[in-house]
Amino acid sequence: MIINDILSGQAEIDQPVLIELLKAPELQRLQQIGMGGYYPGSPYASGHRDYTRYRHSVGVMLLLRRFNAPLEEQIAGLIHDVSHSAFSHTIDYILREAEGEKTQNCQDRLHDNFVRRSSLAAIITRHGFNLDRILDESRFPLKENQLPDICADRIDYCLRAGVLSGDLTLEDKDVILGRLVIHNGSFVFDNLNAAIKFSRLFYHLNHNMWSGFASAVQFCVSALMFRRAIDISLLKLEDFYNRGDAEIIQTIEASGLQDKELAGYYQMLQNPPEYFCDNAEPCLDRIFCKNRTVDPLVITASPKPQRVSELDSPYAALIADQPKFKEYRIGIRNN
């Protein structure tokens, strides 16, 4: 199987277990799920075919292959996002759990049970792999680890978002990837400039995309719209796990816009972020957004790797005292 990826280029996959997993309906469904939720009025609207949970999952697997991670870890990387609902992290806001909003961990809590009940479990075991080992995240630090360290997951979604948003050139993407190395079982950089470039890109994307105002608007208003669709029995919660983004929006557009409240939220989402304001009183809703900060390790002449913040004082100042989450009170701007 030949895969073409915007970050990794062309890659040949010849392991039967990976080929079968890639063709599984649970993986294929991720092609219909964007990384950024539903907000057509936003400049960061996720409609690009390379900015889906499927492309990201494949990208994580390809990055692990590039650095010769064990096949077990490649499998874990490929299936790591398979339990995502439609519209990705929006589900945390549909469920209306404050702690879930702050951590955006709904899919993580569901992942183990989701995989065990899916066709992926049979594929993995049929090819001779131990499912319990694959699902033990602690065994795969290249795939996933704790902030502020970097891992295949964070590297892929940062570089993918950077390239597709135009914030990162393909040349700089290659520079960053080319200066990543494995040290003591984790991703680190062997060049400070590349590490700073990646870290500042991650900071920029976090504050302008993932936890920025436009994302807060998207999470707030689209969750209100989806909850209303559930309340009037137009949708069921399980639809978000059985259907893709476009199919759910088509259902709302075809059958839901006669409901005045639902139609109001739908129309709001056609407006740019400037239509809305923060700290509104009264507000449409009060929400939280997970705030991500990386501080990668860099190999230098010192005996031990050092953090970017230890080597670059401007970056240290930039990330100082970053909160774990941001709070928003989204309202409509009065002109």
Side-chain angles (χ1 to χ4, degrees):
M1 175 184 285
I2 302 297
I3 293 178
N4 290 293
D5 181 70
I6 195 170
L7 297 185
S8 296
Q10 189 175 91
E12 182 176 1
I13 307 299
D14 54 8
Q15 288 87 353
V17 62
L18 294 178
I19 294 172
E20 192 170 351
L21 287 170
L22 285 163
K23 294 178 179 179
E26 293 86 355
L27 260 294
Q28 288 296 309
R29 173 181 160 275
L30 297 184
Q31 297 205 55
Q32 310 306 318
I33 298 176
M35 297 281 283
Y38 177 72
Y39 185 11
S42 168
Y44 292 109
S46 68
H48 197 286
R49 68 178 183 86
D50 284 312
Y51 200 53
T52 63
R53 286 289 159 189
Y54 178 82
R55 290 288 183 173
H56 166 60
S57 298
V58 172
V60 170
M61 181 264 290
L62 292 176
L63 186 58
L64 292 167
R65 288 174 70 82
R66 174 177 180 150
F67 286 89
N68 300 311
L71 185 53
E72 276 188 323
E73 192 157 11
Q74 295 177 42
I75 293 169
L78 180 59
I79 69 170
H80 83 282
D81 267 357
V82 74
S83 53
H84 260 291
S85 71
F87 308 104
S88 290
H89 290 300
T90 308
I91 195 67
D92 291 288
Y93 301 84
I94 296 172
L95 294 176
R96 190 72 281 191
E97 299 173 351
E99 290 307 312
E101 293 178 9
K102 294 174 183 177
T103 58
Q104 295 181 352
N105 67 352
C106 180
Q107 84 97 14
D108 296 325
R109 299 196 308 267
L110 298 173
H111 186 258
D112 188 286
N113 189 51
F114 187 98
V115 173
R116 291 182 189 279
R117 296 173 59 186
S118 73
S119 70
L120 306 177
I123 294 171
I124 290 168
T125 55
R126 186 168 60 250
H127 286 275
F129 294 91
N130 184 299
L131 186 61
D132 291 333
R133 288 170 59 87
I134 297 293
L135 293 174
D136 182 359
E137 191 173 87
S138 67
R139 298 186 64 253
F140 304 122
L142 291 181
K143 175 188 78 75
E144 191 68 62
N145 57 18
Q146 297 298 312
L147 290 166
D149 287 320
I150 57 174
C151 58
D153 180 34
R154 290 183 200 108
I155 294 165
D156 182 86
Y157 71 63
C158 176
L159 298 185
R160 190 169 300 274
V163 168
L164 295 175
S165 66
D167 292 304
L168 180 70
T169 66
L170 291 174
E171 291 76 15
D172 282 343
K173 177 265 295 182
D174 289 337
V175 168
I176 291 170
L177 287 174
R179 303 318 296 256
L180 285 167
V181 296
I182 307 300
H183 178 79
N184 289 338
S186 297
F187 280 108
V188 303
F189 285 96
D190 67 0
N191 177 271
L192 178 58
N193 289 334
I196 293 173
K197 191 183 297 289
F198 176 84
S199 301
R200 285 186 169 271
L201 172 67
F202 197 101
Y203 179 89
H204 170 80
L205 292 171
N206 175 65
H207 283 271
N208 290 280
M209 186 183 298
W210 306 320
S211 70
F213 180 65
S215 285
V217 169
Q218 184 275 130
F219 288 136
C220 172
V221 183
S222 69
L224 289 168
M225 178 179 72
F226 295 135
R227 286 204 299 272
R228 179 60 181 172
I230 293 171
D231 288 344
I232 64 174
S233 300
L234 180 66
L235 293 171
K236 298 178 181 179
L237 187 60
E238 51 262 38
D239 289 331
F240 290 84
Y241 293 95
N242 298 322
R243 300 160 70 178
D245 295 357
E247 188 178 356
I248 287 178
I249 294 301
Q250 288 166 5
T251 297
I252 287 174
E253 291 174 338
S255 306
L257 298 184
Q258 68 271 24
D259 181 85
K260 185 177 180 180
E261 181 179 341
L262 191 154
Y265 297 136
Y266 176 87
Q267 291 300 327
M268 285 182 198
L269 289 164
Q270 314 309 310
N271 292 289
E274 292 76 21
Y275 177 81
F276 301 90
C277 63
D278 188 17
N279 295 316
E281 189 61 49
C283 65
L284 292 167
D285 210 350
R286 171 175 173 261
I287 69 161
F288 304 93
C289 287
K290 180 179 179 180
N291 194 39
R292 302 164 174 86
T293 302
V294 295
D295 194 7
L297 289 167
V298 186
I299 294 175
T300 65
S302 300
K304 294 171 59 178
Q306 295 174 277
R307 299 279 179 193
V308 172
S309 62
E310 297 177 281
L311 300 167
D312 185 66
S313 56
Y315 186 69
L318 191 66
I319 66 171
D321 302 319
Q322 283 294 308
K324 291 185 178 181
F325 59 88
K326 299 179 184 178
E327 180 179 347
Y328 294 93
R329 296 177 61 86
I330 302 298
I332 298 173
R333 188 178 300 279
N334 293 318
N335 294 323

